[in-house]
């Protein structure tokens, strides 16, 4: 650290924090425990970087768009495994998402798994994605025939879990064969919630046993999820290696150790369905609120797909407008609402906050995505923001739904292909209307998801 930076540290005012700070407890009043990232977003007026405290723990939040853009500068910052992600290691160990930057298994697994996300691999997933779409439409046809509405987030979750299970590991979860939520999802939801608590508790000055008690609960859910992963591996081994060409096979023929393979499976089964499910649900929400956009998207599907029941792989990327609808939904409701970044060296963030090497801050995607540079009404749904001429006219770096840098989302192309395909299938088959009284509510666990959102379907 140079003398001048040290001097600046002394001259920097303390970070702003929410009003009504309570001694010892901290800033709890400013937060709704069940919607932390929405609470943080609401505090953006405090300044580009603010802090909040909770039982002795300090969280630094970058909400100002320029501060978030700075945090995405890979030369100064890198991914940080923040408190809740660290706790997620109880479920996901050293799998890709939960691995530390310098953990050898990250680079190793990343290199082994990259081929599972190549164009060639995506072509194989294409027909599986249609198989699952058929199960979804069979369910929805049935509901429509009975005049019932559909629970969008629940069915989107069925669809994306089924898709990732079959594409990544040849494992059908049977999500459409049961009215119950799949036990894997039950344990995942409870596990994710528990990890959030464990992450927060470990930072506080409360005695260690408090966090450990919360940990024990999470371990129960982790064991159930690990059993699912182990069963998937056992299934594959029984059939013998060499007959499949998927992510699981890539791992099993590699020298990754068995415990890491189990963790990777958990990572992919969780990261690979929950985020896409939420994003798909938000896209359907916006389509139901904007009939003009739905009509335009439907016309595009008709034109590009024609009569083909199962158009080729290439016909998905040609659905430019459907893609814009999805991009815009992810802009307004980024299902991963924030990510952690740590300083590579001592540095000053946004001119207001000195960070020592290794210090971290939470980068909020939601505020970045609603920066005035998006146009006069940043909160309004307008897919044409993603028309090429408008993308070119905007500064780069204002859109980060998939994170940033080498630790950004490995499943991005997978998610985009799956989501655009599903939206097209649904648009072509149904007119979808929401209850006119429905007010969008956003549920938060690790990711965002519309709450209690139902659609009425009219087959076309
Ligand atoms: Mn995904 C990392 C968002 C779909 C697998 N994903 C990330 C990150 C974001 C993200 C943000 C970076 C987090 C961080 O910096 O800490 N992911 C999404 C969104 C969707 C999504 C918004 C869908 C929409 N992700 C998918 C799918 C898969 C997947 C589908 C798997 C098939 N994601 C991952 C993995 C990582 C990741 C694995 C961790 C990558 C790494 O660190 O190497």
């Amino acid at each position: 650290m140079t003398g001048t930076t040290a001097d600046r540290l002394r001259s920097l005012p303390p970070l702003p924090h929410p009003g009504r700070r309570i001694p010892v407890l901290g800033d709890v009043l400013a937060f709704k425990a069940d919607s932390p990232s929405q609470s943080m977003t609401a505090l953006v007026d405090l300044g580009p970087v603010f802090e909040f405290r909770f039982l002795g723990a300090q969280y630094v939040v970058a909400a100002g768009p320029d501060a978030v853009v700075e945090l995405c500068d890979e030369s100064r910052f890198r991914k940080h495994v923040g408190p809740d992600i660290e706790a997620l290691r109880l479920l996901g160990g050293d799998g890709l998402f939960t691995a530390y930057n310098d953990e050898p298994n990250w680079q190793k697994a990343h290199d082994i798994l990259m081929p599972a996300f190549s164009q060639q691999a995506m072509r194989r997933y294409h027909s599986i994605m249609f198989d699952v779409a058929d199960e979804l439409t069979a369910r929805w046809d049935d509901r429509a025939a009975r005049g019932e509405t559909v629970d969008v987030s629940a069915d989107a979750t069925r669809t994306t879990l089924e898709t990732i299970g079959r594409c990544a590991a040849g494992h059908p979860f049977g999500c459409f064969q049961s009215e119950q939520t799949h036990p894997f999802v039950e344990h995942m939801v409870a596990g994710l919630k528990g990890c959030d608590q464990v992450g927060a508790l470990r930072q506080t000055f409360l005695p260690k046993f408090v966090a450990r008690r919360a940990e024990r609960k999470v371990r129960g859910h982790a064991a159930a999820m690990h059993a699912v992963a182990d069963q998937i591996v056992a299934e594959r081994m029984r059939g013998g290696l060499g007959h499949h060409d998927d992510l699981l096979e890539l791992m099993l023929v590699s020298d990754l150790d068995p415990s890491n393979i189990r963790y990777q499976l958990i990572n992919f089964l969780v990261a690979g369905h929950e985020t896409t499910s939420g994003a798909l649900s938000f896209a359907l929400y916006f389509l139901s609120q904007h009939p003009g956009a739905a009509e335009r998207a439907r016309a595009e599907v008709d034109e590009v797909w024609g009569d083909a029941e199962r158009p080729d792989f290439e016909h998905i990327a040609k659905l430019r407008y459907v893609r814009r609808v999805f991009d815009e939904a992810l802009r307004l409701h980024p299902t991963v609402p924030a990510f952690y970044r740590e300083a590579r060296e001592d540095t000053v963030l946004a001119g207001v906050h000195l960070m020592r090497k290794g210090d971290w801050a939470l980068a909020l995607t939601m505020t970045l995505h609603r920066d005035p540079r998006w146009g006069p009404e940043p909160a309004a749904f307008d897919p044409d923001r993603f028309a090429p001429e408008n993308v070119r006219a905007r500064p780069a770096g204002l859109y980060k739904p998939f994170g940033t840098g080498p630790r950004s989302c490995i499943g991005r192309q997978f998610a985009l292909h799956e989501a655009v395909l599903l939206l097209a299938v649904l648009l072509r088959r149904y007119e979808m209307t929401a209850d006119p009284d429905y007010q969008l509510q956003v549920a938060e666990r690790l990711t965002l998801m519309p709450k209690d959102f139902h659609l009425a379907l009219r087959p076309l």
Side-chain angles (χ1 to χ4, degrees), residues 268-284:
F268 277 97
L269 292 177
V270 175
H273 91 276
E274 152 102 1
T275 44
T276 313
S277 164
L280 191 60
S281 305
F282 284 117
L284 289 169

Side-chain angles (χ1 to χ4, degrees), residues 40-52:
M40 284 182 228
T41 300
L43 294 170
V44 57
D45 292 338
L46 288 174
V49 185
F50 61 83
E51 66 155 26
F52 65 90

Side-chain angles (χ1 to χ4, degrees), residues 79-80 85 95-99 106 110 117 164 247 264 267-268 271-273 275-277 279-280 326 330 334-336 338-341 365 400-404 406-412 414-416 418:
K79 170 169 171 139
H80 177 73
I85 314 287
L96 279 187
F97 182 80
T98 40
W106 179 77
H110 179 82
F117 295 95
I164 190 68
L247 187 134
Q264 299 295 358
N267 262 257
F268 277 97
H273 91 276
T275 44
T276 313
S277 164
L280 191 60
F326 188 70
L330 262 182
T335 49
V336 177
F339 46 88
Y340 294 94
R341 302 286 285 169
T365 327
K400 293 285 177 186
F402 294 99
T404 196
R407 299 298 303 273
S408 67
C409 183
I410 198 174
R412 179 168 176 265
F414 186 101
L416 292 171
E418 180 185 10

Side-chain angles (χ1 to χ4, degrees), residues 25-330:
L25 269 180
D27 299 312
V28 286
L29 289 179
F31 281 88
K32 290 209 188 91
D34 57 353
S35 55
S37 69
Q38 292 171 82
S39 304
M40 284 182 228
T41 300
L43 294 170
V44 57
D45 292 338
L46 288 174
V49 185
F50 61 83
E51 66 155 26
F52 65 90
R53 288 177 193 262
F54 172 62
L55 297 172
Q58 185 204 28
Y59 291 78
V60 174
V61 181
D66 291 323
V68 177
V69 169
E70 262 188 53
L71 284 175
C72 289
D73 177 351
E74 205 60 35
S75 68
R76 293 170 59 202
F77 302 94
R78 58 180 195 164
K79 170 169 171 139
H80 177 73
V81 174
D84 45 333
I85 314 287
E86 170 104 47
L88 269 183
R89 289 174 60 96
L90 292 166
L91 310 177
D94 58 356
L96 279 187
F97 182 80
T98 40
Y100 303 116
N101 291 314
D102 303 325
E103 218 161 3
N105 271 346
W106 179 77
Q107 187 71 58
K108 188 172 165 186
H110 179 82
D111 294 347
I112 289 170
L113 294 175
M114 274 310 277
F117 295 95
S118 65
Q119 266 262 23
Q120 203 188 338
M122 293 301 306
R123 285 174 185 276
R124 284 195 304 273
Y125 305 143
H126 180 73
S127 68
I128 303 177
M129 287 174 179
F130 267 114
D131 292 344
V132 178
D134 284 349
E135 294 198 23
L136 173 65
T137 53
R139 181 181 173 87
W140 281 21
D141 286 356
D142 186 55
R143 289 290 183 284
R146 289 195 268 151
E148 293 172 11
T149 60
V150 294
D151 179 337
V152 175
S153 298
D155 285 346
T157 299
R158 282 192 165 84
T159 308
T160 53
L161 179 61
E162 200 58 38
T163 302
I164 190 68
R166 292 193 204 178
C167 289
H171 177 78
F173 276 93
C175 294
F176 290 97
Q177 269 76 64
S178 166
E179 277 314 302
Q180 256 81 59
T181 307
H182 194 282
F184 182 84
V185 177
E186 299 264 10
H187 287 294
M188 178 195 83
V189 170
L192 291 179
K193 251 206 178 96
C195 287
D196 236 25
Q197 290 165 3
V198 170
L201 287 171
R202 281 179 181 165
Q203 303 294 304
T204 66
F205 51 58
L206 295 174
K208 292 271 174 285
F209 73 83
V210 181
R212 248 182 267 131
R213 201 162 49 198
E215 255 178 61
R216 262 202 301 281
K217 256 194 241 157
V218 172
R219 281 184 206 282
H221 300 297
M225 292 168 79
H226 291 171
V228 171
D230 292 349
Q231 185 207 332
I232 291 174
V233 171
E235 249 168 49
R236 174 64 55 90
M237 297 309 276
R238 266 201 304 281
L241 293 181
H243 311 298
H244 293 82
D245 192 0
D246 59 13
L247 187 134
L248 178 60
E249 193 82 6
L250 283 173
M251 295 198 288
L252 290 174
V253 301
S254 76
D255 60 345
L256 286 174
D257 54 280
S259 79
N260 183 256
I261 293 177
R262 166 204 267 176
Y263 284 139
Q264 299 295 358
L265 266 180
I266 302 287
N267 262 257
F268 277 97
L269 292 177
V270 175
H273 91 276
E274 152 102 1
T275 44
T276 313
S277 164
L280 191 60
S281 305
F282 284 117
L284 289 169
Y285 166 77
F286 284 117
L287 286 170
S288 75
Q289 305 300 304
H290 299 269
E295 265 325 303
R296 198 170 147 194
R298 188 172 287 123
E300 180 185 67
V301 178
D302 287 344
E303 194 194 315
V304 174
W305 284 13
D307 294 331
E309 275 307 314
R310 286 197 174 206
D312 296 340
F313 178 82
E314 285 73 19
H315 286 86
I316 305 300
K318 287 188 180 140
L319 299 172
R320 299 283 165 76
Y321 189 73
V322 179
R323 169 67 189 274
R324 279 180 219 167
V325 166
F326 188 70
D327 286 344
E328 178 69 345
L330 262 182

